[in-house]
Structure formats: structure tokens, C-alpha cells
């Protein structure tokens, strides 16, 4: 076997930016990630032309899956039009020829930073979450090797203790985002810093979710119809953010996850976090007929 | 303005193959279409110099060697291409690497031929399956299912990719298989 036999034909540019060997490695790891839901699989994490920590993990997964017929949606905290989301989306379409969309219903690949869209995802869609810190045990065990051993032993006692201490100290669990969740009854994962509002959308979902941390070089997945149960005590039910009665100041929708906008008088205004969902509501109010999908939450309650 | 890059034939094949593999694995029991019949497209989409492969088919082995992957005995392999029809085959499969609790990803991927839609009826439950899936498979030794259950001591285990021409079915280790 000589090097020239192993080398492919010269190309000015690899389709989808990543070279074929990077894609093959990601494919092998995605297979194992789907087979053991919620278990962090190490991978090489190649360089991509954005800084680590800005969505490189999600980007590598999307670049491996993308094809010219793909329709990509990229959101950053629910917004399609933030600089990070717009840049990643434009990069994806430039290197792959895939179409871009803001509409959750049209997308085949949805790369997201820290939100799951309000409209339900279907079985033909793949959600790719960017993960800054894939290790749910980091707060209680800084040593990665020890944390891996704890996952191997399903030893989550300190995780529970941390939750208990927060209850004792503050009267409630003091975790806004990244609420730890037990996947398939075996591995505790961090669902990436999605709000508590979104964690329940992963439980027995129709769609496949792939979570990838580029800087930390870990990939894990939640297949469709897989149990994702937030860690809660029997007598203290899981609580999502208290957004059920908030109304978006721009679109007028009520009962979805909101961004808090500080006002000049010191009070708080709210606007819906899923920006394109808000755009659809404004379009409908102005006499348009946008196609709005089924939502996970109805009147602020999980349907 | 940059020209829109176009995938070449290999990229199209590898992308379509992996889409089928990922779809089949995330929904065990559903049959997906491979771009080409046979296990070769699976090998080409997944294997390169980083892999250790066991193959019992000489033509396929030659193509696998050309990817740079090393041919090794079955217990050391991370990808295994063989039939599971005979008792001898089961002895080989019994010694496959199932990974460890520390690194479940070390568990092997087994790629076997079978007839999908006839033969032994199986009931599947587990992640990726809404309630219960039923499949029929022929060309697999009846002892394979008990052996698979023994190997798949979750989270350790092996993934089984079953190909029938250009049709693909996958059984990740998380799936519970019951013979009916």
C-alpha cells in the first residue's frame, strides 16, 4: 500500500468543507452515539473556519450530513438572524449548495445553539445541538477520567446530592439551562444549555437529536422515541420556566418561551424566543396565511 | 462569487449510504435503501486507515485493504463483515469486541447479509421504536439472537447492520430482540 494509492484525486475543495476521512470518523462515531443514547463518544474534532466554542461541534455534524438537497436552518438562542447563526448558515450553504431557510417546517437539518424550535419536529428532520460543555458531572467532578468512571458505574450520587443541596439552600433547583437528564434509563447527559422548557421536547420525540461539542471533542445523541427524564425527586416535580402567561410584545403570542427585554423604566418586556415563530404570528396578524406547525406547548402547557 | 461546490460520485454514494445507516439505526426495524447493493458501499462510507476490519469475503477484503484499513482477526476488529448463517460463524461472533463500560464505543459493528421480510419473525423494542416493531429475517443462524442478547450487556455490545441487496436494516445494541 503506497501513499499515492491511498490519496484521492486532487480537488480544489472538499465538498462540504470537511475532507472525506474527517467525515468517515464522524460517521463511525455517530453510529455509536445513536446506539448508546446519551453516552459521550470521543471524536477527533477537526478544524473548521470558526473558533472553537462557537458551534464547531454542531457544524462538523451538519457538514457530514449535508447534501445539495438539504434545507438548513440555523438558530442561535431561537433567532435565525443573529450574527453567529447567519454566518454558520451562509457558510453551510456556500460549501454544500444546500438551501437555507428560517422556517422550522421546511428544514431537513436544524443546527441550534441552546434552543429547540417551538414547532414540533417531524421524523424526517435531524436536530443538531451545539454543546459547550458535554459533561454533566463537571460541576461535581472536575477530573474527566473520574467522571468517565462514574458514567461507567452509573454513579450519579453526587449529581443527586448537588440537586438536593440546591433545594435545601434555595428551596428549588438552581439550574436554568443544561438541566441534567437520564437518557434511556442509563446515562445522564447534559441536554446542552437549552432551557428547562425545552428538555421535555427531547423525551420520546419523533426526531433524531445529535449533540456535538467541538471544543471538548465529544458527541452524543438522542434517537427518536427515547426516554429523556430530567433528574427530579419524587416529591418535587420538574418545573419549566414560568413563561406560560407571558405575552410577546411584538407578535402577541402567549404561552411560549420568551426572551426578557429590559425596559428603560426598569421593568421587563418580553418577546418570543423562537424568532421565526414570532414572524409567522406577525404575518398571520397582518392578514398573511403562514403555515404554522403543531407546537410542543399549547397554552403554556406541554401538549 | 464562489461557484457552488458539487459532490462527486463518491461523496454522493457515501452521504446516501450514511443517511441510510443513520436512519436505520435511529429507527430499528425500518428498512432503508442503500445507494448500491451489498456491503461495499457501507465499507467505503465508514472505513479508512484508522480502522481494523475483519472480512470473510475475499473480493470485499481487497477493496477494504485499498481504503487503508488493516485486516485483523475478528476479536480485534472494529468492523466485521461476515455471514451469520452457520454455527462456526457464531463462534467467531461470540468473540467480537463489545467495548467496555468506560468506552462503549469500542464495541464492534457487525455487517451481515440476510433476507429481509421472510424467515424468523422478531419483535423489537427499545430506543427509536415507538411501541413495537416486527421484522422477519432469514439466513441468520437461530442461535444468533441468544448470542446477541448475551453480547449486548448494555451499554456494552455490538451494532448489527443487516443488508439484503440494496436494503438495509439495523439493530443497535440498545434494541431488545424477542423471537416470536
Amino acid at each position: 500500500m503506497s501513499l499515492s494509492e491511498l490519496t484521492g484525486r486532487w480537488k480544489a475543495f472538499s465538498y462540504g468543507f470537511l475532507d472525506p476521512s474527517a467525515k468517515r470518523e464522524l460517521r463511525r462515531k455517530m453510529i455509536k452515539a445513536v446506539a448508546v443514547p446519551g453516552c459521550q463518544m470521543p471524536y477527533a474534532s477537526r478544524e473548521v473556519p470558526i473558533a472553537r466554542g462557537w458551534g464547531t461541534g454542531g457544524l462538523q455534524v451538519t457538514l457530514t450530513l449535508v447534501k445539495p438537497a438539504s434545507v438548513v436552518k440555523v438558530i442561535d438562542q431561537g433567532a435565525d438572524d443573529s450574527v453567529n447563526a447567519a454566518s454558520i448558515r451562509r457558510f453551510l450553504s456556500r460549501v454544500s449548495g444546500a438551501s437555507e431557510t428560517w422556517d422550522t417546517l421546511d428544514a431537513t437539518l436544524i443546527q441550534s445553539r441552546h434552543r429547540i424550535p417551538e414547532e414540533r419536529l417531524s421524523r424526517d428532520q435531524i436536530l443538531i445541538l451545539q454543546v459547550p460543555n458535554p459533561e454533566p458531572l463537571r460541576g461535581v467532578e472536575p477530573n474527566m477520567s473520574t467522571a468517565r468512571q462514574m458514567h461507567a458505574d452509573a454513579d450519579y450520587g453526587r449529581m443527586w446530592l448537588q440537586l438536593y443541596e440546591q433545594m435545601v439552600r434555595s428551596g428549588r433547583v438552581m439550574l436554568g439551562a443544561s438541566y441534567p437528564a437520564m437518557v434511556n434509563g442509563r446515562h445522564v447527559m447534559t441536554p446542552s444549555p437549552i432551557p428547562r422548557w425545552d428538555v421535555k421536547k427531547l423525551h420520546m420525540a419523533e426526531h433524531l437529536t445529535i449533540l456535538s461539542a467541538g471544543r471538548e471533542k465529544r458527541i452524543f445523541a438522542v434517537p427518536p422515541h427515547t426516554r429523556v427524564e430530567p433528574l427530579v425527586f419524587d416529591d418535587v416535580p420538574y418545573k419549566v420556566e414560568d413563561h406560560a402567561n407571558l405575552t410577546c410584545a411584538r407578535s402577541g403570542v402567549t404561552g411560549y418561551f420568551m426572551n426578557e427585554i429590559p425596559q428603560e423604566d426598569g421593568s421587563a418586556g418580553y418577546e418570543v424566543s423562537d424568532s421565526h415563530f414570532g414572524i409567522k404570528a406577525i404575518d398571520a396578524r397582518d392578514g398573511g396565511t403562514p403555515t404554522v406547525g403543531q407546537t410542543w406547548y399549547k397554552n403554556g402547557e406541554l401538549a | 462569487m464562489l461557484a457552488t461546490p458539487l459532490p462527486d460520485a463518491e461523496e454522493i454514494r457515501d452521504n446516501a449510504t450514511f443517511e441510510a445507516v443513520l436512519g436505520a439505526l435511529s429507527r430499528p426495524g425500518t428498512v432503508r435503501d442503500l445507494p448500491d447493493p451489498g456491503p461495499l458501499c457501507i465499507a467505503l462510507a465508514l472505513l479508512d486507515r484508522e480502522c481494523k476490519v475483519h472480512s470473510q469475503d475475499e473480493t470485499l477484503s481487497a477493496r477494504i485493504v485499498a481504503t487503508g484499513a488493516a485486516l485483523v482477526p475478528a476479536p480485534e476488529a472494529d468492523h466485521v463483515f461476515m455471514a451469520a448463517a452457520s454455527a462456526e460463524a457464531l463462534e467467531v461472533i461470540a468473540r467480537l469486541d463489545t467495548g467496555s463500560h468506560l468506552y462503549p464505543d469500542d464495541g464492534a459493528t457487525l455487517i451481515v447479509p440476510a433476507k429481509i421480510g421472510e424467515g424468523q419473525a422478531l419483535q423489537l423494542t427499545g430506543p427509536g421504536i415507538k411501541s413495537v416493531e416486527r421484522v422477519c429475517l432469514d439466513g441468520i443462524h437461530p442461535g444468533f439472537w441468544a448470542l446477541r442478547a448475551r453480547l449486548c450487556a448494555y451499554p456494552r455490545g455490538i451494532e448489527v447492520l443487516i443488508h439484503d441487496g440494496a436494503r438495509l436494516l439495523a439493530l443497535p445494541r440498545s434494541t431488545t430482540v424477542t423471537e416470536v
Side-chain angles (χ1 to χ4, degrees):
Chain A
M1 183 60 48
S2 72
L3 196 58
S4 60
E5 285 171 58
L6 280 171
T7 313
R9 287 184 315 281
W10 184 87
K11 279 181 283 186
F13 193 84
S14 293
Y15 176 80
F17 189 82
L18 291 179
D19 57 82
S21 75
K23 289 182 180 175
R24 282 191 290 264
E25 199 237 354
L26 270 155
R27 289 184 193 124
R28 296 196 295 267
K29 288 300 177 178
M30 275 192 249
I31 286 175
K32 297 303 166 190
V34 168
V36 190
C39 180
Q40 301 165 52
M41 304 303 184
Y43 74 108
S45 189
R46 284 3 189 232
E47 293 282 338
V48 282
I50 56 172
R52 292 194 193 269
W54 293 84
T56 55
L59 186 58
Q60 290 175 72
V61 171
T62 314
L63 288 171
T64 304
L65 297 174
V66 76
K67 56 182 181 178
S70 300
V71 184
V72 293
K73 172 183 167 82
V74 183
I75 50 174
D76 180 352
Q77 298 278 17
D80 297 273
D81 57 354
S82 82
V83 173
N84 194 208
S87 305
I88 292 176
R89 187 172 54 246
R90 191 176 56 173
F91 175 73
L92 282 168
S93 69
R94 272 196 185 169
V95 298
S96 71
S99 335
E100 299 177 25
T101 186
W102 283 20
D103 193 336
T104 303
L105 302 179
D106 293 342
T108 57
L109 299 172
I110 301 172
Q111 184 178 330
S112 165
R113 174 178 174 270
H114 309 354
R115 273 312 311 282
I116 297 175
E118 296 292 357
E119 287 159 290
R120 276 178 177 272
L121 303 184
S122 71
R123 57 178 289 143
D124 301 320
Q125 295 175 305
I126 298 179
L127 175 69
I128 299 138
L129 286 170
Q130 303 169 191
V131 185
N133 172 16
E135 181 53 79
L137 296 170
R138 186 145 307 163
V140 293
E141 177 49 67
N143 185 319
M144 280 167 69
S145 306
T146 313
R148 180 159 284 273
Q149 184 68 54
M150 288 163 74
H151 282 292
D153 298 340
D155 169 13
Y156 297 120
R158 270 143 83 183
M159 195 91 238
W160 286 105
L161 183 63
Q162 184 197 33
L163 297 176
Y164 174 73
E165 284 177 342
Q166 289 173 356
M167 305 275 314
V168 171
R169 219 176 273 145
S170 315
R172 64 184 177 92
V173 174
M174 300 296 283
L175 290 171
S178 320
Y179 197 100
M182 179 70 88
V183 185
N184 192 29
R186 174 61 179 81
H187 287 96
V188 168
M189 73 157 191
T190 166
S192 87
I194 55 174
R196 298 194 303 277
W197 186 268
D198 285 350
V199 176
K200 295 202 146 195
K201 297 176 182 176
L202 292 170
H203 178 68
M204 299 307 255
E206 281 292 329
H207 67 278
L208 166 66
T209 307
I210 299 175
L211 303 99
S212 180
R215 183 178 50 200
E216 304 283 331
K217 304 182 171 68
R218 295 285 184 276
I219 191 165
F220 48 112
V222 179
H225 306 297
T226 300
R227 284 178 292 139
V228 177
E229 293 145 327
L231 297 185
V232 282
F233 298 101
D234 290 348
D235 52 346
V236 186
Y238 182 72
K239 271 177 87 173
V240 300
E241 287 78 358
D242 211 358
H243 288 194
N245 300 315
L246 300 180
T247 301
C248 172
R250 293 167 85 175
S251 64
V253 298
T254 302
Y256 300 99
F257 192 76
M258 298 285 164
N259 294 336
E260 188 174 348
I261 314 289
Q263 303 297 303
E264 290 208 7
D265 62 0
S267 66
Y270 295 94
E271 61 184 48
V272 70
S273 163
D274 185 339
S275 67
H276 197 258
F277 187 70
I279 289 172
K280 282 180 176 179
I282 292 170
D283 186 15
R285 187 185 65 196
D286 295 348
T289 48
T291 312
V292 182
Q294 288 291 315
T295 51
W296 263 290
Y297 283 83
K298 290 195 168 67
N299 303 319
E301 294 283 324
L302 195 71
Chain B
M1 182 65 198
L2 292 167
T4 306
L6 291 172
D8 58 17
E10 289 156 29
E11 169 67 30
I12 293 171
R13 180 201 60 212
D14 291 351
N15 186 286
T17 303
F18 184 63
E19 197 174 296
V21 171
L22 190 65
L25 268 172
S26 52
R27 292 188 171 75
T30 56
V31 179
R32 305 291 295 239
D33 292 324
L34 291 168
D36 297 322
L40 179 63
C41 61
I42 301 174
L44 295 175
L46 299 180
L47 304 181
D48 56 26
R49 294 193 64 196
E50 294 164 16
C51 300
K52 289 183 283 186
V53 184
H54 179 74
S55 161
Q56 296 190 341
D57 177 330
E58 277 184 28
T59 334
L60 184 64
S61 296
R63 297 296 301 269
I64 289 169
V65 168
T67 67
L71 289 180
V72 296
E76 295 162 34
D78 43 48
H79 292 79
V80 178
F81 293 81
M82 62 184 288
S86 63
E88 295 79 60
L90 293 198
E91 284 173 31
V92 176
I93 293 170
R95 294 198 304 275
L96 293 185
D97 191 352
T98 57
S100 60
H101 281 80
L102 274 177
Y103 291 97
D105 48 319
D106 288 340
T109 306
L110 174 65
I111 298 105
V112 297
K115 275 259 166 256
I116 299 170
E118 37 193 279
Q120 173 73 56
L122 302 166
Q123 195 167 292
L124 314 177
T125 53
I129 301 164
K130 196 168 186 179
S131 50
V132 180
E133 279 281 347
R134 280 168 187 278
V135 292
C136 292
L137 290 172
D138 203 10
I140 290 181
H141 192 277
F144 177 79
W145 303 109
L147 172 62
R148 179 190 171 275
R150 205 162 68 240
L151 292 175
C152 293
Y154 192 85
R156 298 177 69 185
I158 57 169
E159 275 59 65
V160 188
L161 306 182
I162 298 155
H163 56 89
D164 176 5
R167 298 200 298 157
L168 177 78
L169 188 90
L171 298 173
R173 67 189 74 177
S174 55
T175 302
T176 308
V177 178
T178 327
E179 293 164 80
V180 286

